[in-house]
Amino acid sequence: MKTERQQEIIDVALMLINEKGIQGLTMKNLSREIGISEPAIYRHFENKIQILLAILDLFRESTREIFEKELHSGISATEKIEHLFTRHFERFANNPSLVSVIFSEELFRGEPLLMQKIAEVIDKNASILTQIIQQGQQNGEIRDDISADHLAVTVMGSLRLFVKIWQFSGYRFSIKEDGGKLLTSVKILIQKN
Amino acid sequence: MKTERQQEIIDVALMLINEKGIQGLTMKNLSREIGISEPAIYRHFENKIQILLAILDLFRESTREIFEKELHSGISATEKIEHLFTRHFERFANNPSLVSVIFSEELFRGEPLLMQKIAEVIDKNASILTQIIQQGQQNGEIRDDISADHLAVTVMGSLRLFVKIWQFSGYRFSIKEDGGKLLTSVKILIQKN
DNA sequence: ACAAAGTTAGTTTATATTCACTAACTTGCA
DNA sequence: TGCAAGTTAGTGAATATAAACTAACTTTGT
């Protein structure tokens, strides 16, 4: 599906976004970092938007995997949320560049194709998380004095802000370790009793 | 301090950021929207960064007001958090453009002056919220089985994500009304017992 | 030998900023 | 009081830089 060079372009593009933000992803920087000329990149991608779309696809696929596998497994809702957190933390720890993508909604405004793809991912994830919580409420694991929607906003909001703080710190603390602690707190917050 | 024209430039700049994102804030768009020539803007601001700094200052001041007034008032911690939420919602309802600024960290990367100002605001707010929560824990209003830090991440994370959802919806629901409901849920989550 | 992947040298478009100049005012003082 | 001098806010034209992308040629590996 994807050639080696295409993969390399995507990897380096992600790195650039991570280091300097979307403004840092220029064809010039990209080619310099890879070690080929600018036009050479056009042998592998039609244009810059296709590169960004490929990045978003990558992101969507790895996110979809995390979310959908959880939804249909036989474990408890609490465990599902636990897995959701830890898998995300693992993913970000292995590939911090993805964090920039997760917060990139603002950056893609004006590019309908990119915005649409971002919106898709966000909607899908939100609805799956809400489903998981509802299910947990039905079988008595998760408190039902608060609506599943609100709990989902809280859970997802905590996760997002925590990741953002990690990014802002320059990745100075261990997202897996400290994230695990936050997860414990979130579990206590949403559990029944 | 600020002339009428400077205020107008700031207002229009905010509007542009809100409508088309930061990419939409060009000197050309700005001048067209105001109805003067591009160079005329330079009679009022040294350069574009100074305009953005002025916007961030505005944002910082109105945020500082909200946070600091709460901290030193005599009301309970829960009420303080309540005020914090509702004041924010009011502010955003009156001036949706500010929402774009609150999520603009990613866009200002590469401009040290802007990044620094953003970081300042975020740090300050986080520390004040944590203080408020600690105080609530000490006088038994707020649960103390979870650290103030984690509760702060949850409260702030929920608020942020909710505002983001509102923005994404195209401001289609009432942030004051629905935000009030979310607030009720958050209060239940963090209260003692 | 030929197609894929590369290069050099451009083009076009956009953007922030500067330049030289002007019309309309305000101010200081003979 | 009246006018010379200065200030303010504007203009159109030009400049510098950077971006994405293209045309035409060359190299390289099977």
Side-chain angles (χ1 to χ4, degrees):
Chain A
M1 208 80 247
K2 236 177 270 148
T3 68
E4 240 174 82
R5 192 57 110 186
Q6 283 177 319
Q7 191 56 56
E8 188 183 7
I9 290 172
I10 290 173
D11 290 344
V12 173
L14 260 170
M15 190 203 72
L16 281 172
I17 291 176
N18 186 240
E19 277 177 6
K20 313 184 205 173
I22 218 89
Q23 327 267 7
L25 177 61
T26 66
M27 300 308 269
K28 197 172 198 161
N29 289 346
L30 194 50
S31 61
R32 181 181 342 102
E33 213 64 32
I34 294 175
I36 57 178
S37 66
E38 281 183 67
I41 294 175
Y42 289 89
R43 298 282 176 207
H44 306 278
F45 283 98
E46 202 191 324
N47 54 38
K48 193 180 165 181
I49 288 187
Q50 299 308 315
I51 298 176
L52 286 165
L53 278 176
I55 289 176
L56 287 184
D57 268 334
L58 187 79
F59 178 68
R60 179 177 61 178
E61 279 320 295
S62 70
T63 306
R64 204 177 52 81
E65 243 178 74
I66 292 183
F67 271 84
E68 292 197 345
K69 276 194 184 154
E70 285 318 319
L71 185 59
H72 301 300
S73 65
I75 57 178
S76 75
T78 317
E79 276 173 314
K80 282 180 187 171
I81 289 172
E82 194 168 327
H83 285 192
L84 242 89
F85 263 67
T86 53
R87 292 252 177 94
H88 267 98
F89 291 152
E90 257 166 45
R91 186 158 64 122
F92 292 140
N94 292 336
N95 200 351
S97 314
L98 279 180
V99 176
S100 297
V101 177
I102 217 185
F103 294 116
S104 55
E105 309 97 2
E106 200 53 31
L107 296 159
F108 295 159
R109 286 218 287 191
E111 285 300 338
L113 274 178
L114 302 177
M115 273 188 65
Q116 189 192 327
K117 193 145 269 177
I118 289 261
E120 255 176 48
V121 177
I122 292 179
D123 277 2
K124 195 69 185 287
N125 292 359
S127 99
I128 290 181
L129 179 59
T130 306
Q131 277 177 262
I132 291 176
I133 289 175
Q134 272 169 344
Q135 175 205 353
Q137 287 176 324
Q138 272 154 29
N139 65 31
E141 282 173 67
I142 294 181
R143 62 194 301 164
D144 55 5
D145 55 341
I146 293 173
S147 75
D149 275 345
H150 283 177
L151 286 179
V153 169
T154 300
V155 170
M156 187 63 103
S158 305
L159 176 60
R160 281 179 63 106
L161 179 54
F162 182 73
V163 172
K164 182 109 215 153
I165 291 170
W166 178 60
Q167 183 196 37
F168 236 73
S169 81
Y171 314 117
R172 259 192 283 280
F173 57 88
S174 158
I175 191 176
K176 283 199 208 177
E177 197 176 317
D178 293 5
K181 290 176 195 160
L182 177 67
L183 168 61
T184 307
S185 297
V186 170
K187 280 196 301 189
I188 295 173
L189 274 177
I190 66 172
Q191 85 196 349
K192 187 128 191 172
N193 289 339
Chain B
M1 208 81 244
K2 238 177 268 146
T3 68
E4 238 174 83
R5 192 57 110 185
Q6 283 177 319
Q7 192 56 55
E8 187 183 8
I9 291 172
I10 290 173
D11 291 343
V12 173
L14 259 169
M15 191 202 71
L16 283 172
I17 291 176
N18 187 239
E19 277 176 8
K20 312 184 205 170
I22 218 91
Q23 328 268 6
L25 178 61
T26 65
M27 300 306 270
K28 197 173 197 160
N29 288 347
L30 194 51
S31 60
R32 182 180 343 101
E33 212 64 32
I34 294 175
I36 57 177
S37 67
E38 287 181 64
I41 294 175
Y42 290 88
R43 296 286 172 205
H44 306 277
F45 284 98
E46 202 190 325
N47 53 38
K48 195 180 163 180
I49 289 188
Q50 299 308 315
I51 298 175
L52 287 166
L53 279 177
I55 290 177
L56 288 183
D57 269 334
L58 188 79
F59 178 68
R60 179 178 61 178
E61 278 320 295
S62 69
T63 306
R64 204 177 52 81
E65 243 176 75
I66 293 182
F67 271 84
E68 292 197 344
K69 276 194 183 156
E70 285 318 320
L71 185 59
H72 302 300
S73 65
I75 57 179
S76 75
T78 316
E79 277 174 313
K80 282 180 187 172
I81 289 171
E82 195 167 325
H83 285 192
L84 252 119
F85 263 68
T86 52
R87 293 249 178 96
H88 268 99
F89 291 152
E90 258 167 45
R91 184 157 65 122
F92 292 140
N94 291 336
N95 200 352
S97 314
L98 279 179
V99 177
S100 297
V101 177
I102 218 185
F103 294 116
S104 55
E105 309 98 0
E106 204 49 36
L107 296 159
F108 293 160
R109 288 218 286 190
E111 285 301 339
L113 273 177
L114 301 178
M115 273 187 65
Q116 190 193 324
K117 192 145 269 177
I118 292 261
E120 255 175 48
V121 177
I122 293 179
D123 278 3
K124 195 68 185 288
N125 292 358
S127 98
I128 289 180
L129 179 58
T130 306
Q131 278 177 262
I132 291 176
I133 289 176
Q134 272 170 344
Q135 174 206 355
Q137 288 177 322
Q138 274 155 27
N139 66 31
E141 282 173 66
I142 294 182
R143 62 195 301 164
D144 55 5
D145 55 342
I146 293 173
S147 75
D149 276 345
H150 282 176
L151 286 179
V153 168
T154 300
V155 170
M156 187 65 103
S158 305
L159 176 61
R160 280 178 64 106
L161 180 53
F162 182 73
V163 171
K164 182 108 215 156
I165 291 170
W166 178 62
Q167 183 196 36
F168 235 73
S169 82
Y171 315 116
R172 260 192 284 279
F173 57 89
S174 157
I175 191 177
K176 284 199 207 176
E177 196 175 317
D178 294 6
K181 290 176 194 160
L182 177 67
L183 169 61
T184 306
S185 297
V186 170
K187 280 195 300 187
I188 295 173
L189 274 177
I190 65 172
Q191 85 196 350
K192 187 129 192 173
N193 288 341

